[in-house]
Amino acid sequence: MSLINTQVQPFKNQAFHNGKFVEVTEQSIKGKWAVVIFMPAAFTFNCPTEVEDAAEHYAEFQKAGAEVYIVTTDTHFSHKVWHETSPAVGKAKFFLVGDPTHHLTRAFDVHIDEEGLALRGTFIINPDGMIKTMEVHSNEIARDVTETLRKLKAAQYTAAHPGEVCPAKWKEGEKTIAPSLDLVGKI
Amino acid sequence: MSLINTQVQPFKNQAFHNGKFVEVTEQSIKGKWAVVIFMPAAFTFNCPTEVEDAAEHYAEFQKAGAEVYIVTTDTHFSHKVWHETSPAVGKAKFFLVGDPTHHLTRAFDVHIDEEGLALRGTFIINPDGMIKTMEVHSNEIARDVTETLRKLKAAQYTAAHPGEVCPAKWKEGEKTIAPSLDLVGKI
Amino acid sequence: MSLINTQVQPFKNQAFHNGKFVEVTEQSIKGKWAVVIFMPAAFTFNCPTEVEDAAEHYAEFQKAGAEVYIVTTDTHFSHKVWHETSPAVGKAKFFLVGDPTHHLTRAFDVHIDEEGLALRGTFIINPDGMIKTMEVHSNEIARDVTETLRKLKAAQYTAAHPGEVCPAKWKEGEKTIAPSLDLVGKI
Amino acid sequence: MSLINTQVQPFKNQAFHNGKFVEVTEQSIKGKWAVVIFMPAAFTFNCPTEVEDAAEHYAEFQKAGAEVYIVTTDTHFSHKVWHETSPAVGKAKFFLVGDPTHHLTRAFDVHIDEEGLALRGTFIINPDGMIKTMEVHSNEIARDVTETLRKLKAAQYTAAHPGEVCPAKWKEGEKTIAPSLDLVGKI
Amino acid sequence: MSLINTQVQPFKNQAFHNGKFVEVTEQSIKGKWAVVIFMPAAFTFNCPTEVEDAAEHYAEFQKAGAEVYIVTTDTHFSHKVWHETSPAVGKAKFFLVGDPTHHLTRAFDVHIDEEGLALRGTFIINPDGMIKTMEVHSNEIARDVTETLRKLKAAQYTAAHPGEVCPAKWKEGEKTIAPSLDLVGKI
Amino acid sequence: MSLINTQVQPFKNQAFHNGKFVEVTEQSIKGKWAVVIFMPAAFTFNCPTEVEDAAEHYAEFQKAGAEVYIVTTDTHFSHKVWHETSPAVGKAKFFLVGDPTHHLTRAFDVHIDEEGLALRGTFIINPDGMIKTMEVHSNEIARDVTETLRKLKAAQYTAAHPGEVCPAKWKEGEKTIAPSLDLVGKI
Amino acid sequence: MSLINTQVQPFKNQAFHNGKFVEVTEQSIKGKWAVVIFMPAAFTFNCPTEVEDAAEHYAEFQKAGAEVYIVTTDTHFSHKVWHETSPAVGKAKFFLVGDPTHHLTRAFDVHIDEEGLALRGTFIINPDGMIKTMEVHSNEIARDVTETLRKLKAAQYTAAHPGEVCPAKWKEGEKTIAPSLDLVGKI
Amino acid sequence: MSLINTQVQPFKNQAFHNGKFVEVTEQSIKGKWAVVIFMPAAFTFNCPTEVEDAAEHYAEFQKAGAEVYIVTTDTHFSHKVWHETSPAVGKAKFFLVGDPTHHLTRAFDVHIDEEGLALRGTFIINPDGMIKTMEVHSNEIARDVTETLRKLKAAQYTAAHPGEVCPAKWKEGEKTIAPSLDLVGKI
Amino acid sequence: MSLINTQVQPFKNQAFHNGKFVEVTEQSIKGKWAVVIFMPAAFTFNCPTEVEDAAEHYAEFQKAGAEVYIVTTDTHFSHKVWHETSPAVGKAKFFLVGDPTHHLTRAFDVHIDEEGLALRGTFIINPDGMIKTMEVHSNEIARDVTETLRKLKAAQYTAAHPGEVCPAKWKEGEKTIAPSLDLVGKI
Amino acid sequence: MSLINTQVQPFKNQAFHNGKFVEVTEQSIKGKWAVVIFMPAAFTFNCPTEVEDAAEHYAEFQKAGAEVYIVTTDTHFSHKVWHETSPAVGKAKFFLVGDPTHHLTRAFDVHIDEEGLALRGTFIINPDGMIKTMEVHSNEIARDVTETLRKLKAAQYTAAHPGEVCPAKWKEGEKTIAPSLDLVGKI
């Protein structure tokens, strides 16, 4: 069954966040929108550019009331060193979550069993802990954070306006569609 | 286990394509890149706008050597009528695939059991039938085809240049990264 | 075991009925006689002629205190469009029930697994929700609604006169048989 | 799963036929169309009227190249006596098949376990042993053989003209429908 | 395990008895001695002579306070006709029990699975519903009711005189044996 | 399932016979008719009278080409002493079979588990080892060997005349019935 | 697991004892020491000599407060006759226990399945029903009751003097050993 | 099932024998009679007296062509030390078998699970590896080797004279009994 | 799963300790640090040197508040004799624990099934019964008790100073490391 | 079962070794002695001191013909960065093996499931791939490499001299013990 519209499973992980080690759980991420971004491994090739991409848009995520969580199967110890040694990752002000037990990675179905690493998966989770969008790439193909931002806003808009749906390519501020019997078969 | 980097499962479905009914299978989609786009149901609200969005970028997909397949759990009979009656869908020159047995929808893990409809899922499949990217939305949140195009090109570039990976936000023509030992821990 | 003299299983489906979408359940069909007619798929060849046949006798069913339900594995969205675009189906004033989950079709044992469509099955159900007659055809063979009307009346007569049975070919108004010991071996 | 379009299961029963006891099997009924009619029990109330109804149309069945088989869970001994003692049954020139093991009755899914008797079921079987139509009534509701004749002819017509389907209420000699892409959504 | 000295299992069957249809159960046969006689099928060859044999000794069974039940796997409808049409069976004043579900026949372990008929079994049951003697023949070998009468009386005598046993060939009025320690090894 | 018309199961037992210990098996009893008579225990009350009864008719059994076997769960050692000490048993010239393993007693379904003894069972077995009649009494009710003789002869007659059946009460020399279609429903 | 130091299992058997039939159970043997002696079968070759051996030492067993039970798989009826006819067994004043159900023989693990007889087993049981010694021979090898008496007395002595053990070959009146730490490794 | 008349199970153990460590197996003990004597533990209280008892009769066992094996769950290392430190055990010229895996002890069913030690069990095994007698005591009750010698000789005598059995208390040189039919019931 | 940081499983064994036999359990070892040393077998080659090694450092263990337990699968009887006969083992003032049931040896996963002996395993257990270190050698490789002492002290130090860890090679009195965020990635 | 004297299970891992990424397998470590050292996680507190300790004795391991492998559940990418950033780890010239799949860690039974990290385990493996010693600590207790060196030499000595065992505390050059029967119980 798809993960879409299911609750995030319980987890308890250590993260490096603004110079501190903190615990992150399925409870702690509730209450605001969450963007969970899995990456294969610290210290590798295009992961830092993805972290940097997220860092550069972090102000926009915050403005949208969303928090960002980067996850790898490394420890939070590695994440601290990564933050200190990588010029790109050093910009990150959000959570770098270690998943050495691989439980979180498996719970989001992005674990590569023969490598012990995560696929590039991005998940938008609403404040109730419900997964609303997912996007997973084979690891040689990186993501674009602006598209994640667009989806986040579409998800927030439809959450706030239960009677409407966003048409294709919808961007913040555009018109949405209010479904009605008359529209069936007419668009 | 994630569907990424697995083979498309065998299927045999009827599609409406350029005024004809044709059979589409896991074999027939091989040989070129395929973009498989699931939608909830014909005749509904934002589905036509998504079909239209795809139609308007179809020339670009073709230029990129890719074919597009729209799939719903309706019959191909419904798809013919949808094409005839919807101004938006009428623009579609690609395959409108009927999946009345729901096998294809289940094979891509986008089936909503309690509704009998598909989630909004988009899959890029390489010419060998291997799934390279997936993107699934809760049905109230529509997609943007331009992002699919960007991913397709990144997937094609890395397929063509096995020794390189695309950094975040990579767009056609930009520099990629050639992984090397020296880069480990340095980006 | 045969479905005859068993209760209709629980279901909850959306139907198109007189320009509206309404919910139909195993409860909502109780209280009057129900005629449930399965068809393979909207927009196909002899289905509209069967719907039309039912439509032309609908007044008689109503006079007999019975309601008519047409069911396919399509959505109610497709049924609305079918009603709007088909001259034959447009005459229908009864319920066009969508069964996209295929649950109802399977509950009446008329599902063709390899096609995802229904067989041509007709069921007469008494006001208590008990199935009294069934008739199923291979899909290339259409039905005749007048025979369904004849059976409905025979079923209603024997329900109203528990001590009697209808002889072969019985039509409304004809004599029935009151079983008695003396008749055993004498007819 | 429905019995429609499945093969008749193997059986071997004794029948009374034109003053003789003969064996009837799933092989012996092949080669021509077969009409198999189940009845609850010899010597009972409306069963003889149904046998008589079949007898009176037997010439037509023969003309259509079909054979008729009446089945009850009684022995063929009882069938001989029934034929001798019942004025109605005495007219029967077709097979009166005994099913004391109840195997045949169960194979057609018309067995009432708590009574050991059959439901009123009628089955049309093509010359290859494939069941094409079924009709089952609660036992207080008798059948009309003329409708069985109509179905037989529709089944024979569509078997002989694979490219056509019979519309609703079709009777021998009327026009049929040749499905074509153009007709989809147009009737 | 042998049926001897076990309780008759629960059953509920229809019988033809003195021109009426009546229900017979494991409760209704209690309170007096019962002789249950299974036969293969109504209308067959030596069954009527056995029924006639029972009929001619019926007065003696009655005098001994015992009731007689003839059972076949036919219906009670067949039994009525059998009684009316057979000169031999017509003499029967006891119960002709129909067993169309075959439950009673199986409960006494005299069912022939491949024929759906009973073996020739005779059972004497005491007023508490306990089986005291059984006798079963291959169907080509008929029984002699006078021996059944002799056994009935021996069973009744030992039931009435708990301290005694009947020696071989014991007939009503003859001396019995009162077991005692002294007799062990002495007869 | 009934033991009637089944093969005697394999066995190997020691018997006392004409002053010698001999082995009896399912093979050794074949080739002639066998009468197998189970009794509860050596040295008990009415068992000797039954043995004596058999002894007095032994010449007739021999004339009919049949052998007699008395079986108890005692050893053949006990049977020798029984033969020597009991005036009644001393007359026996047939086989006194010991069954200390209780296998034979269980194979004929006459074992009383809570006592370790046999019920009074009599079985007639044809020269092919097939059981043709069985008769079992609660132990307080003794048997009459003359009825066993009558059955033996009826069994032998029908075995020798496959086309005929013995009517009730049939005794050697009387008329039998040759079943034919015409007789069905006529006796 | 060994039977030594386990409780005798529940049993209920009939015995011949001083001219009477009496019931013996696992309860009735408690309260004094019991010597249970299994033998293969009444009336056989060296069994009587063993019974006689026991009979000649019976006074000593009684003086030691012990009761003797001879058990075979024969009935108590056979035991009465054995006692009457065997000069050796006739001397027995203790219990001759019949075990026709073979339960007791199996409970002491001395049953020979392929013969239905017991092995030559001797068991000494204390007044609490606990088995203290066992001795079993292949049946061609008889026992010596004097050794059983010696064991009985050793068992009684150690039971009465919990702090001591009997050395090898210990006989009544001899010195025993009081275990102490100092003796470890010193004898 | 009893161990009597079963084969010794396969084993491979180390023993201390005449100043050497040697391997003992189920094969090595074949070819002559074997007396296997289990004891609880080296260095304990009455075990040395039993070893001494065996040692003092060892010449007789040898003369009878039998070998003696003492077994405990200790190692052969302990047995060497036991032999060196115990005046009683030091007399032993036979095998002191170590069973640290407890396999041999369990194979003879004399293992006390809650102690990890053996019961006092003695087994006589014939040259074919078949167990002929067993004797097991609760550990507080020691054995008498002279009785073991008597049994060994009885076992050897009956093995050498297949047609005879030893009567109770039989000792070497005494008369045995040749079973014959005439003796049944006569001793 | 590793035994490290698990509770010692329940056990109850006899030990030789300072000239007495005493019971040792998982409860009795709690309250102080315990060093449990498994050895293959008493009386063998390098085991005494290991016992002697432990004995010579026993004062240090006592000073550190720890108790020492030597365990083999021998009995405590053997341990007493070992202590008396071995010059090396005679020095031992700690517990020599017998494990004849092998339960303790299996609980610490050092049992060699095919030999019934223990591997050379050493375990340090804290006063709460939690195993903190384990060390196991193939039996030809002996241990060095001074290293065990070093580990014991490191375990005690870190237990007493929860916020610190001992660096490699740490010996009593040396500096430890207090983990802090700042140290991550810096040593 | 203990891992001692079992084969290393198959594995395939990436390691950082002298500035390169290389593959290490159960095959590649064969042919010389291997010392496998598990540690909890890169970048943590006392792990670098343990790596440094190993580095400082690496020449001795090499001289002894042994190779050293450090393993954590981190990736080899992390190991490269660790080597570059940690002054202590930077001294390592042996293999830093990444185990992101945790298979190797589980194969040596040192995985902490709730943390996803390894315990401090050290294993000496002979050139045939057989584990000869193991040592595991709770993670707060570090190891001393000199003791590992001592064990390695003892293992090598006994491997080279099959007839000898090392006594406790044995160090290279000291006398060993050649086991002989005479020594049993004498040391």
Side-chain angles (χ1 to χ4, degrees), chain D:
Chain D
M1 217 186 69
S2 179
L3 289 169
I4 294 302
N5 288 321
T6 66
Q7 279 288 327
V8 170
Q9 293 176 29
F11 68 92
K12 185 155 77 176
N13 286 46
Q14 296 296 315
F16 182 71
H17 184 230
N18 289 335
K20 290 215 165 56
F21 288 151
V22 297
E23 192 176 271
V24 179
T25 71
E26 87 284 0
Q27 290 305 324
S28 75
I29 69 167
K30 284 192 184 170
K32 46 181 7 187
W33 288 79
V35 178
V36 178
I37 302 171
F38 288 88
M39 293 185 184
F43 307 119
T44 52
F45 311 111
N46 60 352
C47 289
T49 70
E50 288 199 331
V51 177
E52 192 172 28
D53 188 15
E56 287 166 3
H57 292 85
Y58 187 50
E60 291 171 78
F61 281 108
Q62 283 185 309
K63 202 170 132 201
E67 187 52 88
V68 174
Y69 302 88
I70 305 287
V71 189
T72 75
T73 56
D74 294 288
T75 62
H76 54 299
F77 303 123
S78 287
H79 282 184
K80 174 176 184 284
V81 176
W82 195 23
H83 193 268
E84 288 167 359
T85 58
S86 160
V89 177
K91 297 176 186 166
K93 298 202 163 149
F94 33 73
F95 292 80
L96 299 174
V97 182
D99 186 30
T101 64
H102 302 203
H103 288 171
L104 191 55
T105 306
R106 284 201 170 90
F108 280 86
D109 199 12
V110 291
H111 194 258
I112 309 171
D113 287 350
E114 57 276 24
E115 299 183 13
L117 306 181
L119 288 160
R120 290 188 199 283
T122 308
F123 298 82
I124 296 177
I125 300 167
N126 77 10
D128 297 331
M130 183 85 78
I131 302 170
K132 299 306 289 182
T133 72
M134 64 183 288
E135 184 184 18
V136 191
H137 289 198
S138 179
N139 278 337
E140 72 274 19
I141 307 166
R143 287 156 291 189
D144 182 346
V145 155
T146 55
E147 171 66 5
T148 303
L149 253 171
R150 191 196 67 79
K151 285 180 203 179
L152 172 65
K153 287 178 180 169
Q156 290 178 328
Y157 187 91
T158 52
H161 303 78
E164 304 178 21
V165 296
C166 297
K169 239 182 230 315
W170 180 91
K171 290 207 173 54
E172 208 180 6
E174 296 184 356
K175 230 173 35 162
T176 60
I177 303 176
S180 75
L181 180 65
D182 296 343
L183 285 175
V184 169
K186 298 304 185 215
I187 305 179

Side-chain angles (χ1 to χ4, degrees), chain C residues 108-119:
Chain C
F108 280 86
D109 201 11
V110 290
H111 193 258
I112 309 171
D113 287 350
E114 57 275 23
E115 299 184 11
L117 307 180
L119 289 160

Side-chain angles (χ1 to χ4, degrees), chain F residues 46-78:
Chain F
N46 61 350
C47 287
T49 70
E50 288 200 332
V51 177
E52 191 172 29
D53 188 14
E56 286 166 2
H57 292 83
Y58 188 51
E60 291 170 78
F61 281 108
Q62 281 186 309
K63 201 169 134 201
E67 187 52 87
V68 175
Y69 303 87
I70 305 287
V71 188
T72 75
T73 57
D74 294 288
T75 61
H76 54 298
F77 303 122
S78 287

